[in-house]
Each structure stands twice: as C-alpha cells, then as structure tokens.
C-alpha cells in the first residue's frame, strides 16, 4: 500500500511515536499518515464545503462556472448546510453517550442491574436538588429514578430547556432567548438541524448557522453535561491522583488490554475484571506477570481521571500502540476508534472487541455489553486477552520508552475543595493578575499537523504568560508526555502561576477529563461569571483546539463560542467556500454572542492571539493587563 | 448564465412545462435544467457515495489507489455512513413536520389558540382510543391534550415504541424485534444515526444499514403517521372531491397565490383568508376579478385532498409556475422549495414569503406563523399578494393551457366507506384477480429524467395489468395531468380494474395525499395483512418512486422495504460505490425483511418487474397469477 516514503521525523514531536512509525514502516504496516498521503491532495470542493450531496438532483459543486446547485442553492447555503450536519454529528455523538449514561442510572435506580451502583451518593443528591428534584429524606434509588427521568426529558420535545439552564448566567440566557437559540431538547435540535438542511428548507446561511449554535448548546449544556455528571455519580467524582502516560505504560511482561472510546460504562467493568484474583491467576498460568490495563483516547481519560489508570496514547497513537506488538486486546465502545485498528491488529496477535451495538467493526469480535451483564462480559473479554497472550510473538515486541508521571483528577468539586470551598481564591488570583486568564486546550490530533506540536507548544506558551491551562481529551496525553501535568512543571510557568500553583501544589496545566468533560469547564465558567455578576463573555477565558479533527470538536468549539468563550482552532472547518459563513464565524458571531472563532496553525502566534483576547477581557473588567 | 442551449422538447412530457421553458429561455431566466447542465458531469465520487467529509483528517475519496480513508474506513463503511445520514435527513424532515402538527394539536387542546380547532372530533376520539387513551365520556380537549402528550413521546427516549405499533402485523413486529430494528423514538433514531456515522463508531456497513431501516421505520410508523392523523383531526379527514391540475389553474384575471411546501398549518389559514369577503373586495378594488389560491408540491396535495384546492404543479413545475408571470405571491412552509424561486420571483413581480423560522430564504420576506397568529398572518400575506397584483406586467403573462379535472380525497376512511365499511370487498377483488395487486407510486421529479415520463407511463402500464395504483406527492399531479385521476380513465385499465373501479365509481389511480400520507398506505397494508392473517411482505403490493430526488423519498423507500414492501426506484441512491451496500439493498434485505429495492429507469420495464413481484406474491398466497 505504501507507495511514497513518509518523512517520519516531521510527523510527530514524540520519540515513542517515531519509533513505532519506523517499526510500522519496516513491517509494512499502513497507518493514518500513509493513508493521508494517499488521500492528498484533498478535493478542494469538499475542503471548502461547497460540494452538496443532499439530494439526487446532484451531487453539485459550486464554482465560478456553476455558482448554484441544481436546486438553486449557492455556496453560502451549501456551506451552512454541510456545517450544520457536521456539528449535528458531533452533538449527536456526545449526547447519545449521555443518553447511555442515563440508561445506566435508570437501570441502577430501578434495580435492573447489580453490576453498576451509585458510587457518589452525595453528588446524586446534590445534582438532583440542583435540577429541582425533592431529595429531603428520600431513598437514594428513588432520587436516582427521578433524576434519570428528568435527564431523559432533556432529549425530548416537551421539557423545552436544559435541566442545567440555571448554570448559565442570566445575561447569557437573555442573549440566547433574544436570538432564539436557547436549546430545547438535545435530540430535537439535532433532528431539526437535519430537517433544516434537507433540500428546500433553510436557505438562509445565517439562520442555519444560528440553529447550529443552538444544537451545539444542547450538547454542551445538556448532553455532555449529563454524561459527565452521571459518570461521576456512578463511578465516583474525580479527585487528584497520580498516573502515567505514553506507550511505556504497556508492559512487556503482562497481558496488555487497552480500552478505547469514550464511555466509562464498559471500561470500568474491564478494570474491575482485571483486578479479580481468579483472572490474575489465569494470566499467570499463561506465563504473564499479570494483567495490565491502559487507556487510549477518552475512555482512557475517563479511567485515568477517576481511577488513575495509565494512558497509552491519544488519537494518533492508537494505531501505534498496536505496533508495539505487546497488545493482546483492544476493547472499544464508540467514537474516534479508527477502523484501521482491526487491520493493524490482524498484523499482530491483537484482538479487537466491540461492545456497543451502535459501533460494530467488520472483522472485530462483538461482545455486547448491557446493564445486566457488564461484569460477565468484562470477564469474558479479559479471558480472551489472556488467551491471546500465548500467541504473542515476543520477537516483534518493542515498547519504546519509559512512562511519564502525571497528576490527574481535577473535577470542579476537587478544584473548589483545593481552593478551600469556593472559587473566590481563583477569582482573587485572576483579579491580582497572578492568573491572567484561563484557556481550555481540548481535542484531538490530526495527521495533517505535526503530532502534538501545537497541543504542547500552545500550552507551554500560555503558562509562560501566566495563563492557566485546562486540558481535556487527547490534549491530556500530549501535555502529560511533555511533563506539564505534574506540579514540578511550574518551573516552565510565569511568576504568577508559579506562585499560585506552587501554593496549591497543582500543575499549571490542569487535567479536567475527557472531551465530554468540557462540560466541567462550562460549569466552571458559569460559576466564575455568577460570582462576579458578569456574563461568561466578560471573563478572561478562552478555548482552543489546535489539532482537532472530529465533528465533536467542531460542536464543542461552537458551544464554547455560543456560551461567550472565544475559541481558537488550528485549522478551519470546511466552511471557507462561503465568505458569509467564514466571516460569521470569525467576526459576525462576536456581535451576536460576544465571542468568535480564531484560526491559527502556529502555536506561538496562537498564544499571542489568545493573550490579546484575554487582555481585552481583563481590560473590560477593569483589571490590569 | 445559460451557456449551452437546452433541448426543451426532451425535458418534459407536458406542453405547459415546455411552453414555460421556452418563455424562460426567451426571457433569460435560469431554471433547474440549466443548472443541471452546468453541474454535469457530476462528481463520480459523490455519485457513487465514496467521498467522505465527516472529519477534517479528510475529505477522503475512495479509489483503487486509495482504498481507505485516513481513518481506515473503506468504501463500504463510507457509503453506509453517507446513506445513513441521507435517510436521517429525510426522516427528520417528515417527522419534524409531524412534531409541528403535535404542537398545533397541543395548542388547540390547551386553549392557546383560537385560530385552529378540531375539525374531525370522531377521528380524534378514534385515534386516541387506538393508542390507548381513555375516551369514554371525556371532553374533546382533554382527549386532545392526552393524545398530544402521547404523540410527543414518540419522539423521545423513554416511550420506546411507536404509538401505532399495533398497526404493524405481529409477524412483522417479530422480524423487527429479531433484527433489533423496532423503532424506539423518532428523534432518538435520527440522533443515533448521526452518532453511529461519526468517525470511529459504526464501522460495519450492514450494521449501519440496519439502523437506517430503524430510523426510517420511526419516520413511517411514527413521524409521518402522526403528521397525517393530526392533520386530519385539525383540518378534516379527506373524502372524495373534484379538483383540477396543471398551470392552467392559475387565473389571468385574479390575484394568484401559490402555497408550497408540506404542512397544511399555514396553507389552511391562507385558504380561509382568501375566502374572506373583505379581502376579496380589496382584490376587486385593485382591479382583479378575485383571489385564486392554488397549490404546489405537498402543501398543494394537503389542500387538494381535504379542500379540493387546485394544483398548479409538481416539483419541476414550481419554477415554471412563476414564469407564467401571473403569480403575485408564493407562500411556503418547508421542504423541497427550490431556493431559486426567490431569484425567479425577482425576475417578475412575484413575492416570496417564508413562514417557518426553520426555513428562511435569503431574499424572501419572513412572516412568522405561530399557533396564536395564524389567521392574522394569513390575512397579511393575502394583502401582500393583492398589493403585488398592481405590479403585474400583463404583457409578460402567459398561462399555457386549460386545467385538467381530477378526483382526489381517498383517505383510508373514505376508501373503507366506499367499500361498504370494511376492506373485505378489496380483498375479494384481489383474491379474484380482478385487482391483481396494488402499487403506490410516490415522490418527486428529477431533472435528470424526462419530467413525469416515468411517473405517468409506469402508472399507465400498471393499470393495464389490473394493478391498482395509489398516487401521492408529486406523482399526483403527473397522474392528474395524464387524465388518470378521474373515473373515466378506467378505459385505460385492464378488464378487472375496469369492472371494480367502474362499480365503485373511482379512478384506477387513487390519490391518497401528500408524501407524509404514504403512512396511509402503510396503514392500509397493515389492515389488509391483518384481515388475511399474513405479513405485509406476503401481500401483492409494491411501492415505486420513479423520479425521486429527495432524502425523504429515500427514507420512504427504506421504510417501505423494511415494512415488507418491495420498492422500485428509477435510479439508485449514491451507494453504488459499495458492492456490499448495493447488494444488500437489491437482494440482501429480502432475506432480512422480506423485501428489497429494484432499480429500473425505464417505466415499461419497471412495470414488468413490479408485475413479476406481484405475481410471485399472489403465488405465495395461493392465488391465480
């Protein structure tokens, strides 16, 4: 398959990645970078968003010679429709994950499972009370029943608003109401986005883009937020703990199982199973020293945040983890799991197991996880992995480096606890300019860009400027590998951050979880704005997704902006074929929602741009720059 | 814009279309055919479905040199994902229309509007009882409240099945349950389709296609069906009545208003307004003889079915209706409204008015219709039209022909009434081979095919073979213009149909409504199967959409097949880049759901193919061929 040779040195900033890329090349294993080369140059119509396939009068492509599709849609309408569907895909992913979490809570509450329980009862009662459920003197499971029922309604038509709308500052709620973008129900907004983008519905690009913001807000303030809160209730609210990252967490002498995907419901059971003495004994009988569980992507983040399970790698490391030759089994739930993992696994002894009916992979073994059989299925998967260990070809094993230490587990609850019970010390530090601002760096990798170059360097530049960085998703691993997720990394930060983080004993880059956990950042912004009596758009905060690739990242960026948070992207979505839509994203949204996107591939320039935005926000609040 | 000259004679079978195309050419007005020429040749990647733009690692295009996208997805996965989103768009369109109908019923029930009322109380009580709502001795509005609440739940997560599941034969329900495709909630299936098609979720094409059937079934047996039933409750259940079709229904001496789109909620109020003496007087003051209302597309079908309002044209006639120069105003709701209508309107005095926030058109005037202001807004729109009449340039008016008579209004209720209270006479006629089978010909036009050539000729061929034809959507106008929608057209039918239709005084092509009203056909199939104690797939029935273009048509075809009804399409959706998906559609589905698609552009060959399928079904039932 590989026709042209890759220049491996420029593909990643990491030694573990480069070593595995060289191994892959030597062994003739195709990776995402090879396929990117095959797919380059990309179709310009697709890249600029002006190709339309939404009916069979086409497909149509907009050019100077053909400025309208068969129906009469111009570039603006086509770009807006395509972007609308793009973020609908992203919002659906996060939010359907949230629905699965509600189903788990519902099953626990109704006694339909013994495999899952409520781990954080305090949080259950606190969240239930927050959304208006009577909690006084009630049984835990009764409260859980009501909370599940309330959350389900966030997806329907009749409730008409998010359970968490009170987390949104009033000024922001008014902006949304005036624009008609207050999210009603998650599924409703997604379905309406699909309806609007059918031929002959919404043919006003700005109107379509407004509904895109509404759809994404439903994800951010309902779907994602519900996923995070229920995951905490069922599996424990994270608190600071140590862990490790990079391919070095794969253990040569053990049965290695990698969990991949996004939802902790499967991986938490796998974790329990690998700790069972019978299964450990079975592994030892097979000649292994034990069973080693490590994470990939956001399922990895979920397990790391709550349980300190180490992380093997982020998006572009998922294929390379298999290339070590030491992975017996990858068990996945859904989202961001490259279909190529099946092929790469088949080059080794690595088994791929799928668990969700909505995410089967041709060539993988399907072990259906349900609420009622989670533990049983988890044990089955672990036994499969142990069985595979005997097939490992030790001559092909190559684990490229030692793991790097990190600290994880910074939920809002643990942050507030660390601050002494309120966000006031954080606000004081911001007012004093010791923390000049906060930037959440989130999201993915993209083989179009040197792997983790932007993720790492943007974080480094920002902390130098006394800007606290929050990391989630695949940026976590990048920051961790760069040594930024330990308290000692304050040495790389500016004097203000050194003082504050030093006093608190926290790193200047704070890991807040998986990509659905960006909802934690929204909540924190709501809390800060509430304390200060301002809107979120007044806060010296920003978001960034330097190396994003996925529809979910576009949805997250859009809900950030619609929530009043400026959002930097390393590259634009496929919208540049419409000047109207592009201008709306870069400037027009500022007038509407008080925030906008900024595009900059260079992390050093991006840091300056974000610094400028934070400065202007500080100025607006009457604070020193 | 027009660079090459169109050969107008081959574009349509109709004189009114050709005359207007010649006028458009003379006046330099661009139509869909011109734009199709500009867009031809189409992109082969798009046409075969192997282009993927679902993340920004791409866009990717599958070819022999690049058999996988950057993520590793092959042609099968990419085609399935694209088709999944295609039908999600179609299902969302129909079903969101249904939701709007529920909102109307809800508003009426809760006394939130005086502009809408319950016109068919009997049907309200009957449907409520059918879905399990207590009706005995209850107030109308209380029953309506409960019905609206029940229907809303069809869109959510918790209800878990369609209110109309009992309309599905038990054998069919079991097939769905075994395959895991029983539709749970409309929005849920749509959102899950979007989730599954995100990068790294469902990477098994067959699994994705199965969920596509589930999504479409949610449309057919919930979203669309609810739209139909509520529309009948609010505006009256159709019964046979006369009307007229083609551009000749536009009146040279009157203020002409065209209604276009799909939902009767706006158009029914426009109809009331044009009948108000004050507004008629105003029109006369402006020099017109009166106000003439005519329909286009499915809003036209809705008004024609229930109120006998004439139909100016189907999909490809919408632009040409404006070219008459005699249209003062087009008022639209949503779906299938070419954005070009704004441009063509601006070549004349024709005003375009949008009414739904989810379907604005750049350049059109937006008059927002809400439950509380329907009549007021309708009057406003009619006054706008009257004002426009004064700007008409009579020198440019050209109305090409006289209207053709039709009979419409064949709801299931009216059919059963005509049959004497049950479907038994229909079953007897089928058993006796006088009606050898039934084919629903539905859907659109597509400028890639000679306008209405297939729609008309397929209908003509089938009735010759004693196959009763049911028409909905844009096929209605085609059949009407061909003289097939009047009882006299039995002269074109075979002897069996001549006898039965002659005795009943009905045409051999029966108009059952708009495209959401295909749900009426599903219900009728369920009734027939129930009476015979068989599955729908055992019935000598089939569906056809010879000239389809829209995502909704693909969704309809898919729910037909998943309901056990073979479905003919004039051309395939963009799936031919995957042998696996194509084979599944053409043959594989037969094993799974007892029906499949057949593709044939030639209406004469298609009639033979459908005849064969009907023969084999008759054979299966032990009936003579």
């Amino acid at each position: 398959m590989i026709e042209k040779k890759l220049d491996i040195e420029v593909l990643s900033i990491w030694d573990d990645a480069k070593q595995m890329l060289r191994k892959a090349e030597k062994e003739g294993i195709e990776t995402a970078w090879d396929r990117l080369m095959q797919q380059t140059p990309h179709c310009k119509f697709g890249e600029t968003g002006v190709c339309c396939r939404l009916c069979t009068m086409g497909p149509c492509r907009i050019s100077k010679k053909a400025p309208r599709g068969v129906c009469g849609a111009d570039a603006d309408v086509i770009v807006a429709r395509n972007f609308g569907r793009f973020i609908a895909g992203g919002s659906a992913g996060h939010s359907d994950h949230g629905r699965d979490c509600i189903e788990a809570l519902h099953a626990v509450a109704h006694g339909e499972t013994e495999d899952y329980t409520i781990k954080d009862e305090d949080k259950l009662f606190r969240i239930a009370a927050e959304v208006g459920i009577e909690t006084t003197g009630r049984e835990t499971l009764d409260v859980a029943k009501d909370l599940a029922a309330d959350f389900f309604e966030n997806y329907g038509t009749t409730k008409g608003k998010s359970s968490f709308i009170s987390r949104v500052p009033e000024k922001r709620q008014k902006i949304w109401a005036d624009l008609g973008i207050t999210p009603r129900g998650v599924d409703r907004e997604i379905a309406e986005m699909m309806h609007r983008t059918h031929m002959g519905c919404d043919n006003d690009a700005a109107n379509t883009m407004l509904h895109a913001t509404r759809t994404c807000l439903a994800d951010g303030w309902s779907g994602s937020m519900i996923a995070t809160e229920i995951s905490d209730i069922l599996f424990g609210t994270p608190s600071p703990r140590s862990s490790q990252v990079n391919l070095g967490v794969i253990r040569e002498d053990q049965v290695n199982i990698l969990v991949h995907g996004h939802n902790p419901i499967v991986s938490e059971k796998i974790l329990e199973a690998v700790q069972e003495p019978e299964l450990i004994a079975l592994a030892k009988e097979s000649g292994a020293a034990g069973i080693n569980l490590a994470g990939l992507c956001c399922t990895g983040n979920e397990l790391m945040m709550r349980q300190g399970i180490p992380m093997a790698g982020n998006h572009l490391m998922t294929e390379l983890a298999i290339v070590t030759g030491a992975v017996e089994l990858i068990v996945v739930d859904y989202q961001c799991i490259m279909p190529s993992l099946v092929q790469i696994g088949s080059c080794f002894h690595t088994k791929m197991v799928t668990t969700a009916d909505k995410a089967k992979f041709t060539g993988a073994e399907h072990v259906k996880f349900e609420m009622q059989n989670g533990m049983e299925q988890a044990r089955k998967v672990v036994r499969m992995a142990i069985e595979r260990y005997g097939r490992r070809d030790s001559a092909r094993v190559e684990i490229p480096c030692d793991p790097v230490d990190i600290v994880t587990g910074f939920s809002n609850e643990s942050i507030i606890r660390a601050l002494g019970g309120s966000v006031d010390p954080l606000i004081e530090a911001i007012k004093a300019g010791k923390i000049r601002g906060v930037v959440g760096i989130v999201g993915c990798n993209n083989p179009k860009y040197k792997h983790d170059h932007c993720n790492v360097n943007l974080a480094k530049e920002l902390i130098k400027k006394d800007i606290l960085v929050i990391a989630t998703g695949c940026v976590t691993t990048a920051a961790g590998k760069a040594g930024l997720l330990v308290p000692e990394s304050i040495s790389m930060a500016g004097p203000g951050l050194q003082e504050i983080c030093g006093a608190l004993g926290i790193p200047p880059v704070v890991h807040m979880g998986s990509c659905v956990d960006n909802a934690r950042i929204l909540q924190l912004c709501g809390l800060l704005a509430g304390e200060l009596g301002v809107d979120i758009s007044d806060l010296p905060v920003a978001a960034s997704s330097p190396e994003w690739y996925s529809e979910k990242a576009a949805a997250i960026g859009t809900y950030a902006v619609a929530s009043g948070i400026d959002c930097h992207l390393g590259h634009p979505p496929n919208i540049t074929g419409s000047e109207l839509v592009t201008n709306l994203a870069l400037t027009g949204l500022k007038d509407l929602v008080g925030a906008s996107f900024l595009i900059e591939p260079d992390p050093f320039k991006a840091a300056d741009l974000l610094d400028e935005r934070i400065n202007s926000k500080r100025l607006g609040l009457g604070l020193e720059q």
Side-chain angles (χ1 to χ4, degrees), chain A:
Chain A
M1 293 311 218
I2 306 171
E3 290 168 346
K4 287 170 273 182
K5 214 173 146 80
L6 293 167
D7 179 4
I8 288 173
E9 285 308 309
V10 305
L11 300 185
S12 176
I13 64 169
W14 304 119
D15 288 339
D16 61 347
K18 287 187 267 191
Q19 193 173 328
M20 288 304 101
L21 279 165
R22 283 189 290 267
K23 184 170 187 280
E25 184 182 68
K26 198 175 68 190
E27 301 188 8
I29 296 167
E30 183 187 88
T31 67
W33 286 277
D34 297 304
R35 293 188 299 271
L36 176 64
M37 194 161 55
Q38 291 163 17
Q39 291 288 350
T40 306
H42 300 280
C43 170
K44 284 289 166 206
F45 296 103
E47 234 171 5
T48 57
V50 296
C51 151
C52 181
R53 297 174 319 198
L54 305 184
C55 83
T56 61
M57 298 195 293
C60 297
R61 293 173 290 188
I62 300 306
S63 63
K64 278 193 182 161
K65 280 178 74 178
R68 289 181 181 270
V70 176
C71 69
D74 61 13
D76 296 332
V77 166
I78 289 173
V79 164
R81 289 197 300 216
N82 287 335
F83 183 73
R85 293 206 170 182
F86 195 79
I87 59 82
S91 301
H94 273 154
S95 297
D96 203 35
H97 166 171
R99 182 188 347 255
D100 290 338
C101 292
I102 311 176
E103 293 206 325
L105 180 66
H106 176 90
V108 171
H110 289 266
E112 294 166 4
T113 176
E114 293 176 1
D115 286 358
Y116 297 86
T117 55
I118 286 163
K119 287 266 170 62
D120 190 341
E121 211 166 292
D122 281 353
K123 182 151 188 173
L124 167 70
F125 276 75
R126 184 158 47 78
I127 298 291
E130 183 184 349
V131 304
I133 291 165
E134 178 58 52
T135 55
T136 318
R138 294 186 70 199
E139 293 294 328
T140 303
L141 294 188
D142 289 337
V143 172
K145 276 177 202 164
D146 287 355
L147 186 60
D150 178 89
F151 280 163
F152 273 135
E153 290 304 315
N154 279 259
Y155 289 72
T157 302
T158 49
K159 187 178 170 80
K161 62 180 185 195
S162 167
S163 291
F164 291 119
I165 191 75
S166 60
R167 292 184 176 184
V168 181
E170 278 182 25
K171 288 179 185 176
R172 179 80 4 205
Q173 288 189 42
K174 184 164 183 326
I175 288 170
W176 293 351
D178 291 347
L179 289 171
I181 60 170
T182 307
R184 294 161 296 183
V186 172
D187 290 344
R188 177 186 193 157
E189 304 308 356
I190 292 166
E192 185 173 317
M193 189 81 254
M194 295 306 289
H195 177 193
R196 281 175 182 246
T197 50
H198 187 281
M199 199 299 272
C201 288
D202 211 0
N203 286 297
D204 181 86
N207 201 45
T208 307
M209 294 301 284
L210 271 182
H211 188 71
T213 65
R214 188 178 212 173
T215 306
C216 296
L217 286 172
D219 173 29
W221 294 90
S222 288
S224 294
M225 203 168 263
I226 287 169
T228 290
E229 301 300 37
I230 296 184
S231 295
D232 285 357
I233 289 169
L234 293 179
F235 304 114
T237 304
S239 55
R241 66 188 67 226
S242 298
S243 188
Q244 293 186 315
V245 293
N246 82 17
L247 290 188
V249 306
I250 296 172
R251 307 282 289 271
E252 192 158 1
D253 60 346
Q254 302 204 12
V255 173
N256 288 300
I257 300 174
L258 299 184
V259 286
H260 184 8
H262 284 77
N263 192 325
I265 288 176
V266 168
S267 53
E268 286 275 353
K269 293 298 111 177
I270 302 284
L271 173 59
E272 283 184 42
V274 300
Q275 291 166 338
E276 289 186 338
E278 297 78 3
L279 289 169
I280 293 171
L282 189 66
K284 288 183 174 168
E285 278 170 35
S286 305
I291 312 172
N292 179 46
L293 185 68
L296 291 168
C297 261
C298 276
T299 286
N301 274 301
E302 296 276 345
L303 276 194
M304 191 163 78
M305 270 290 277
R306 292 194 185 84
Q307 319 296 353
I309 296 303
M311 175 82 90
N314 55 8
H315 182 55
L316 280 176
M317 298 302 293
T318 58
E319 293 180 301
L320 302 183
I322 305 179
V323 176
T324 61
V327 176
E328 273 60 48
L329 186 144
I330 297 193
V331 53
V332 306
D333 45 79
Y334 41 60
Q335 298 163 26
C336 302
I337 302 147
M338 291 198 208
S340 61
L341 298 188
V342 178
Q343 281 76 51
I344 297 185
S346 72
C347 298
F348 295 91
H349 68 302
T350 311
K351 191 179 190 73
M352 174 130 168
V353 172
T354 54
T355 58
D357 277 357
K358 55 186 132 196
K360 292 187 178 175
F361 283 57
T362 308
E365 181 152 344
H366 192 60
V367 179
K368 182 177 178 170
F369 269 63
E370 294 180 291
M371 283 307 114
Q372 292 73 28
N373 69 4
M375 267 320 295
E376 182 193 329
Q377 297 298 72
R379 289 185 194 109
K380 185 174 166 183
V381 169
V382 173
R383 276 192 294 267
M384 283 178 184
I386 294 168
E387 184 275 328
R388 286 274 153 164
Y389 181 76
R391 307 198 203 176
R392 189 196 286 184
D393 179 356
S394 60
R396 286 180 72 199
V397 171
E398 188 178 326
I399 297 171
C401 54
D402 291 325
V404 178
D405 290 332
I406 65 151
V407 177
T408 173
F410 294 96
S411 58
N412 286 325
E413 286 86 344
S414 67
I415 290 172
I416 290 170
R417 202 161 49 236
L419 292 170
S422 89
V423 292
D424 290 348
L426 179 57
I427 289 173
E428 289 314 312
I430 290 170
K431 281 185 176 170
K434 290 178 179 173
I435 295 177
R436 292 183 44 257
V438 183
V439 172
I441 311 183
V442 309
C444 330
N445 296 136
N446 190 320
K448 289 176 178 172
Y449 303 91
K450 187 173 193 170
H451 172 222
D452 283 340
H453 168 70
C454 289
N455 287 336
V456 165
N457 284 300
L458 179 61
K460 283 184 175 174
E461 289 304 303
L462 290 174
I463 62 171
K464 274 188 208 164
K465 297 174 193 290
D466 282 334
I467 294 169
L468 183 74
V469 169
I470 291 170
T472 66
C474 284
V475 172
T476 312
T477 314
K481 285 163 85 163
L484 293 168
L485 293 187
V486 283
E488 295 73 22
S489 65
I490 56 168
S491 64
M492 294 188 249
L497 267 192
Q498 282 200 16
E499 181 189 328
I500 300 292
C501 294
L504 292 166
I506 63 168
V509 179
V510 175
H511 178 222
M512 285 188 81
S514 65
C515 59
V516 294
D517 289 337
N518 289 323
R520 298 191 201 272
I521 308 179
L522 284 185
Q523 185 191 11
L524 184 60
C525 289
L527 280 171
L528 294 174
E531 278 302 309
L532 287 164
V534 299
D535 190 4
I536 293 173
S537 61
D538 299 319
L539 298 174
V541 302
S544 171
S545 194
E547 300 179 29
W548 74 282
Y549 92 87
S550 98
E551 291 176 318
K552 289 177 294 172
I556 293 166
T558 304
Y559 75 58
V561 168
S563 298
I565 303 167
D566 286 320
C567 181
H568 160 252
L569 300 174
H571 60 279
N574 300 337
I575 60 169
T576 55
S578 164
E579 212 177 298
L580 188 152
V581 173
T582 305
N583 287 343
L584 190 64
L586 296 180
T587 55
L589 281 173
K590 196 94 187 168
D591 296 330
L592 295 171
V593 295
S596 66
F597 286 98
L598 45 155
I599 310 293
E600 177 52 60
D602 180 279
F604 304 97
K605 289 182 191 165
D608 288 340
L609 288 172
L610 288 166
D611 190 48
E612 276 172 32
R613 298 264 173 144
I614 279 175
N615 272 342
S616 75
K617 295 294 170 76
R618 293 188 61 84
L619 210 61
L621 288 172
L623 303 175
E624 273 184 47
Q625 296 206 348

